[in-house]
Amino acid sequence: MTLRRHTLFAVVALVALVAVTSIAMSNSVIGNTDNEDFIGTRDRGRTIAKAATARSAGGRPVSWGVFGYTSDRGLTCLQAGPVEDDAAGAFTPRGFERFSPLDSVGNCGDLTEPLATLGGVAYAAVAPVSTDSDDRASVVYGLAGKNVKNVTVTIDKTSERLPVEMSGASELGGAAQSFIAPLPPEASLPGVTVTFELANGKRTVSTI
Amino acid sequence: MNGLHVGTAKTLLLSAAVLGALLVCSGPAKAGHYHTNCVGHGMVHGSSTTDGSWFARVEAGCGNPGRKTCVVKSNGVAKYTTYIGSGSSAMCNQWSYGCCTEQTGSATVDFDGVFSSHTHYPH
């Protein structure tokens, strides 16, 4: 009987050990994603859209750019930041650094479904625009599919429509165009609606 | 037989206590920096927890009903923010760019329609 109790205890303890190990592993494994998923080959990355100069909260003129690449695992990755020397990047404590697919810092995904149903995908960023990390500005950007005729970006609070710069996306993620719209310094995120006007007259929206 | 039942009950109680204690001990670490509520989200520090390189991240999924937000904060102050518009299957992935150490950093994340805004901290 003692042997049976010991056996039972051993079985239950083993089950407990497996359960706890699984939980511990879920802490160290990054959900369903891994940084490796977002790494791309250096020469695949490029600045695919640039915006007219806007101003930061501190009054500094800022040019924005959208950087896109396809990761080695086939995901479409996008990010936006200030432009220096014709390339989009980020102001960091080390100064301005160009975006690179090697850093795995893009916002990545398989965009096939939203491009087919919504017509486009929208993103936004708030980032420092100089080495003064407190001087920041905001930008809305994204990709539009072949069936999109027009993209409008509207600030919900004021109904103000922002100027949108459109440019070719070189088939990135199956999209036909990229877009970018810097926000004025008095506007803040979230609270923006991006409307995709499709060739058939239908309108779809993505809210940020 | 009666002795066996009593012994078995004691064994099961002891096992349950051990299991409960282990689960309680493992729980707080999970909630601290990254967890899953329909999709994984939180603070991702990579292979090092001391190099100042980490992410605020919200994975895509759950039908992507609403806006995803991921904010890198230093001592509670927002430094870099990314938003992904509703309906997009892109993941929200904001890097720290070395703005701050993992120990002074935190990741505030939000996913409209899936979970509300909350902040994750390092280990």
Side-chain angles (χ1 to χ4, degrees), chain A residues 10-11 14 16 30 35 65 68 70 79 81 123 131 135 147 202 205:
Chain A
V11 168
L14 184 62
I30 306 163
N35 287 348
T70 303
Q79 57 199 125
Y123 309 71
T131 50
D135 189 12
N147 59 340
K202 187 180 168 189
V205 299

Side-chain angles (χ1 to χ4, degrees), chain A residues 3-205:
Chain A
L3 181 62
R4 290 182 65 179
R5 280 205 304 271
H6 285 172
T7 304
L8 183 58
F9 179 79
V11 168
V12 175
L14 184 62
V15 170
L17 186 63
V18 169
V20 170
T21 302
S22 301
I23 291 167
M25 285 184 70
S26 74
N27 289 335
S28 57
V29 174
I30 306 163
N32 295 320
T33 66
D34 189 297
N35 287 348
E36 295 290 321
D37 291 342
F38 321 128
I39 293 177
T41 307
R42 182 187 295 276
D43 60 7
R44 284 188 188 161
R46 59 202 176 277
T47 299
I48 58 174
K50 290 175 198 153
T53 300
R55 291 199 174 272
S56 69
R60 187 184 302 272
V62 187
S63 291
W64 287 96
V66 178
F67 185 81
Y69 64 93
T70 303
S71 78
D72 291 345
R73 296 187 182 172
L75 300 176
T76 302
C77 305
L78 231 62
Q79 57 199 125
V83 169
E84 294 276 308
D85 296 329
D86 220 28
F91 281 99
T92 78
R94 300 167 297 281
F96 182 79
E97 296 182 4
R98 294 179 172 205
F99 290 140
S100 166
L102 301 178
D103 292 333
S104 68
V105 297
N107 301 288
C108 302
D110 178 351
L111 305 181
T112 308
E113 195 265 337
L115 285 173
T117 56
L118 266 183
V121 287
Y123 309 71
V126 185
V129 294
S130 73
T131 50
D132 173 7
S133 66
D134 292 330
D135 189 12
R136 307 194 307 158
S138 309
V139 66
V140 174
Y141 63 101
L143 295 174
K146 296 178 179 69
N147 59 340
V148 172
K149 277 173 43 185
N150 193 28
V151 178
T152 56
V153 178
T154 309
I155 298 173
D156 297 341
K157 204 171 182 179
T158 61
S159 299
E160 179 188 358
R161 283 173 64 159
L162 302 178
V164 179
E165 300 270 344
M166 305 286 295
S167 55
S170 305
E171 300 293 325
L172 185 70
Q177 306 169 86
S178 59
F179 64 90
I180 186 166
L183 267 68
E186 65 274 14
S188 61
L189 290 169
V192 166
T193 298
V194 179
T195 304
F196 301 101
E197 185 182 349
L198 308 183
N200 62 7
K202 187 180 168 189
R203 292 170 189 264
T204 63
V205 299

Side-chain angles (χ1 to χ4, degrees), chain A residues 75-78 106-112 114 121-123, chain B residues 58-61 64 66 68 82-85 87-93 111:
Chain A
L75 300 176
T76 302
C77 305
L78 231 62
N107 301 288
C108 302
D110 178 351
L111 305 181
T112 308
V121 287
Y123 309 71
Chain B
V58 180
E59 295 176 23
N64 299 299
K68 305 178 191 86
T82 289
Y83 299 93
I84 308 294
S88 172
S89 51
M91 176 190 61
C92 190
N93 189 38
F111 192 174

Side-chain angles (χ1 to χ4, degrees), chain B residues 2-123:
Chain B
N2 219 12
L4 177 63
H5 286 305
V6 170
T8 303
K10 282 181 179 173
T11 303
L12 285 171
L13 279 172
L14 180 60
S15 301
V18 170
L19 176 61
L22 288 170
L23 288 173
V24 165
C25 289
S26 63
K30 183 182 184 187
H33 76 117
Y34 207 84
H35 63 193
T36 298
N37 179 359
C38 199
V39 296
H41 59 273
M43 186 177 189
V44 179
H45 48 66
S47 56
S48 169
T49 57
T50 57
D51 61 358
S53 175
W54 50 276
F55 294 85
R57 182 174 295 169
V58 180
E59 295 176 23
C62 306
N64 299 299
R67 176 188 62 242
K68 305 178 191 86
T69 306
C70 40
V71 188
V72 163
K73 290 183 175 177
S74 173
N75 291 314
V77 177
K79 294 297 180 184
Y80 300 93
T81 304
T82 289
Y83 299 93
I84 308 294
S86 59
S88 172
S89 51
M91 176 190 61
C92 190
N93 189 38
Q94 179 61 65
W95 191 22
S96 65
Y97 292 107
C99 73
C100 34
T101 67
E102 282 85 343
Q103 292 311 308
T104 60
S106 58
T108 297
V109 292
D110 189 8
F111 192 174
D112 285 354
V114 179
F115 56 79
S116 56
S117 178
H118 61 281
T119 301
H120 289 249
Y121 298 92
H123 286 295

